[in-house]
């Protein structure tokens, strides 16, 4: 039997003045919001992109999936590079690249140019986002870290809903005749402001004993994620050709090869891309298991409701986006109360949040069943508000739980693992629930397809409620 020798704790190397100020926290949270907003902001812009660029449905799906796959594949590598080269440096470089690729998206002359720019934008996001959590982990402690993590979770959840709302408003506003292009161009001035703030307020941190990049692990993880996500996102629109089935069949073999390579490196005393020993942390392991069904349901719902409201109800982009504004408002308000509730009730708050979200999804399904084809803001309001409150009592707290025991020296790796899991699950949600909804629509009709998909999401919510009872009772 092989024994594993644990390395002694390592403190992070940081420049002088490494306490993260409120201005620095605001800046890194702004950096966290941009990639998540951009994952969802295109949902309500797809019809106008299709008309303007004469894009087919498979190409439109690549506009969404190309970003998501590049983002998910490179997140762990982004975290490792931050540990190695400096988190502030990677944050600044990723932010600048995100601004340039957003500009390329906004100026794209053809659909395929847009796809290429979106892939590059996903890669830039993967360089930037892991540095946010890693910086918080390395520069805060105690109640200040708990507050920062709660704000990160609130920012993440709010960004995902607000992205869709903002997308609808921008497309309809048609600022200076830019139409759908404004959903990308709006990032450019925000990035300029964020870069100025980051130079002034974000401290530099890195691992004291940085490890070289795990090339075999990086390649195998990328191949495994592409093998899973590419066929699921493109398969239905492409008619499920042979390559999709071969790709899905290769996924378990690639996953096992990745695990074997990482385990061998971990036992040899090296630091692999995703150290298997990291999963010995109970809080990380159980939190990640909960994040998967939560994120699948969340992103699937956002995609499906956008399609249903625009194609089924014939609502404009603004109305379709604003239909979810109550969810965003209630999410934000509830998330502010989260830290106090957790301090009193512990992780039972997550269970309560799951029950609230389930009640909200059930009310949305009932509203769709009874009100179609007159489903709008008023009909969605009760369910969206309840679902938003429930989500706010889960996502920010789960982020805190997952990273609560991760050593500061492994902050980049831990945040990369968490964000990769979340991002892959978000992409899976669009692929699975979106494919289910679009496949059922021709035979069942838009209303029944929507209700059926919402009931499947309700099953995912029930799963998160069941899993939540196994979380550690308290959160550090």
């Amino acid at each position: 039997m092989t024994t594993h020798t644990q390395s002694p704790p390592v403190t992070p190397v940081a420049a002088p003045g490494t306490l993260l100020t409120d201005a620095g926290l605001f800046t890194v949270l702004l950096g966290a919001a941009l990639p998540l907003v951009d994952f969802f902001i295109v949902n309500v812009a797809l019809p106008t992109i299709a008309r303007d660029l004469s894009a087919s449905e498979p190409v439109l799906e690549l506009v969404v999936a190309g970003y998501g796959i590049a983002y998910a594949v490179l997140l762990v590598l982004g975290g490792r590079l931050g540990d190695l080269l400096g988190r502030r440096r990677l944050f600044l470089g990723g932010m600048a690249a995100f601004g340039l690729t957003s500009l390329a998206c906004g100026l794209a002359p053809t659909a395929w140019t847009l796809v290429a720019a979106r892939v590059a934008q996903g890669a830039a996001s993967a360089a930037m986002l892991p540095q946010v959590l890693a910086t918080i982990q390395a520069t805060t402690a105690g109640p200040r870290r708990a507050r920062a993590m709660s704000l990160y979770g609130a920012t993440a959840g709010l960004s995902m809903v607000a992205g869709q709302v903002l997308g609808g408003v921008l497309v309809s506003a048609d600022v200076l005749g830019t139409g759908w292009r404004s959903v990308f161009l709006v990032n450019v001035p925000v990035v300029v402001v964020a870069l100025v703030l980051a130079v002034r307020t974000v401290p530099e941190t890195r691992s004291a004993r940085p490890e070289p990049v795990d090339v075999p692990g990086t390649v195998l993880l990328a191949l495994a994620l592409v093998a899973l996500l590419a066929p699921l996102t493109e398969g239905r629109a492409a008619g499920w050709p042979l390559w999709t089935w071969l790709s899905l069949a290769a996924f378990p073999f690639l996953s096992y090869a990745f695990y074997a390579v990482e385990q061998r490196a971990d036992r040899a005393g090296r630091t692999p891309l995703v150290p298997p020993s990291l999963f010995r942390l109970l809080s990380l392991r159980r939190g990640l298991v909960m994040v998967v069904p939560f994120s699948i349901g969340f992103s699937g719902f956002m995609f499906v409701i956008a399609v249903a409201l625009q194609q089924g109800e014939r609502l404009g982009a603004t109305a379709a986006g604003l239909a979810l504004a109550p969810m965003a408002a209630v999410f934000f308000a509830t998330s502010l109360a989260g830290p106090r509730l957790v301090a009193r009730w512990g992780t039972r708050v997550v269970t309560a949040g799951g029950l609230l979200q389930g009640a909200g999804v059930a009310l949305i399904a009932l509203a769709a069943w009874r009100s179609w084809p007159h489903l709008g803001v008023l009909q969605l309001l009760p369910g969206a508000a309840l679902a938003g409150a429930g989500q706010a009592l889960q996502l920010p707290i789960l982020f805190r739980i997952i990273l609560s025991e991760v050593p500061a020296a492994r902050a980049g790796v831990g945040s990369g693992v968490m964000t990769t899991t979340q991002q892959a699950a978000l992409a899976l949600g669009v692929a699975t629930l979106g494919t289910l909804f679009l496949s059922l629509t021709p035979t069942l009709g838009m209303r029944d397809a929507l209700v059926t998909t919402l009931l499947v999401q309700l099953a995912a919510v029930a799963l998160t409620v069941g899993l939540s009872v196994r979380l550690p009772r308290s959160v550090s």
Side-chain angles (χ1 to χ4, degrees):
M1 178 176 174
T2 304
T3 57
H4 177 78
T5 304
Q6 189 93 19
S7 299
V10 181
T11 55
V13 172
T18 53
L19 178 66
L20 190 64
T21 63
D22 287 342
L25 179 60
F26 171 81
T27 303
V28 294
L29 291 180
L30 182 59
L34 285 171
L36 290 168
V37 165
D38 257 60
F39 184 85
F40 290 92
I41 200 169
V42 297
N43 281 349
V44 291
L46 291 176
T48 53
I49 293 173
R51 288 195 298 269
D52 191 28
L53 298 183
S54 302
S56 63
E57 186 178 347
V59 175
L60 282 179
E61 290 201 1
L62 277 175
V63 171
V64 178
Y67 176 85
I69 293 173
Y71 188 15
V73 162
L74 296 171
L75 272 167
V76 180
L77 178 61
R80 168 61 62 83
L81 290 174
D83 288 349
L84 179 67
L85 302 175
R87 293 156 189 152
R88 177 177 180 269
R89 181 181 299 178
L90 259 290
F91 181 78
L92 289 169
M95 176 78 74
F98 184 84
L100 291 173
T101 53
S102 295
L103 181 63
C105 289
L107 299 178
T110 67
W112 282 107
T113 308
L114 178 59
V115 169
R118 282 285 281 173
V119 170
Q121 191 185 35
S125 297
M128 174 172 59
L129 186 64
Q131 317 317 323
V132 175
L133 282 170
T135 298
I136 290 173
Q137 286 287 97
T139 59
T140 60
R144 189 171 183 85
R145 178 182 293 177
R147 171 177 171 266
M149 289 300 301
S150 295
L151 287 172
Y152 174 86
T155 300
L158 183 62
S159 298
M160 290 188 280
V161 183
Q164 203 143 307
V165 176
L166 179 63
V169 171
L170 287 172
V171 170
S172 295
D174 193 21
V175 181
L176 300 177
T178 53
W180 61 266
R181 298 178 187 276
S182 61
V183 304
F184 301 113
L185 295 175
V186 70
N187 292 331
V188 178
V190 177
V191 164
V192 171
V193 172
L195 283 172
V196 172
L197 289 173
V199 168
R200 295 171 177 267
T201 64
V202 177
E204 180 66 283
T205 62
R206 60 168 59 85
S207 176
R209 293 192 311 194
E211 296 279 346
V213 172
D214 174 13
V215 176
T218 300
V219 172
L220 285 169
L221 178 62
L223 290 174
L225 287 173
V226 170
L228 175 66
L229 296 176
L232 288 177
T233 51
E234 286 295 299
R236 186 198 62 83
W240 297 105
L242 179 61
W243 72 264
T244 59
W245 299 109
L246 293 175
S247 182
L248 288 172
F251 170 69
F253 296 101
L254 290 167
S255 299
Y256 178 77
F258 170 69
Y259 172 76
V261 166
E262 298 301 275
Q263 189 176 52
R264 192 181 309 119
D266 211 9
R267 285 176 173 171
R270 301 190 300 272
T271 302
L273 188 70
V274 179
S277 58
L278 202 62
F279 291 91
R280 293 175 189 165
L281 301 175
L282 184 69
S283 55
L284 180 136
R285 188 170 67 247
R286 292 186 175 176
L288 286 179
V289 169
M290 265 198 75
V291 160
V292 171
F294 178 90
S295 299
I296 286 173
F298 192 106
S299 63
F301 168 79
M302 298 294 286
F303 176 79
V304 166
I305 202 71
V307 174
L309 292 177
Q310 287 190 278
Q311 296 184 8
E313 294 283 354
R314 303 297 178 187
L315 296 182
T318 299
L322 290 177
L324 296 177
M327 180 182 286
V330 174
F331 185 103
F332 180 71
T334 306
S335 65
L336 296 179
R340 293 193 298 275
L341 294 172
V342 172
R344 181 170 181 181
W345 301 105
T347 57
R348 284 173 289 183
V349 172
V350 178
T351 305
L355 293 172
L356 277 177
Q357 184 189 5
V361 172
L363 284 177
I364 292 171
L366 181 62
W369 178 263
R370 297 179 60 182
S371 303
W372 196 271
H374 304 292
L375 187 64
V377 177
L378 290 178
Q379 291 76 22
L380 289 171
L381 178 59
L386 265 183
Q391 290 161 351
L393 294 178
Q394 295 176 86
L395 190 63
I397 301 164
L398 283 175
F399 286 161
R400 281 181 60 188
I401 292 169
I402 290 168
L403 295 178
S404 60
E405 296 179 299
V406 176
R410 285 187 162 182
V413 176
S415 62
V417 169
M418 187 186 78
T419 48
T420 296
T421 303
Q422 182 200 17
Q423 183 59 38
L426 289 174
L428 274 174
V430 175
T432 53
L433 292 183
T435 296
L436 174 67
F437 171 71
L438 294 172
S439 299
L440 292 176
T441 298
T443 53
L444 298 183
M446 188 77 74
R447 184 196 71 170
D448 290 356
L450 175 60
V451 171
T452 302
T453 306
L454 288 171
L455 292 178
V456 173
Q457 186 198 355
L458 196 56
V461 174
L463 177 60
T464 63
V465 171
L467 292 169
S468 68
V469 301
R470 302 185 70 242
L471 291 172
R473 282 291 183 186
S474 61
V475 189
S476 60

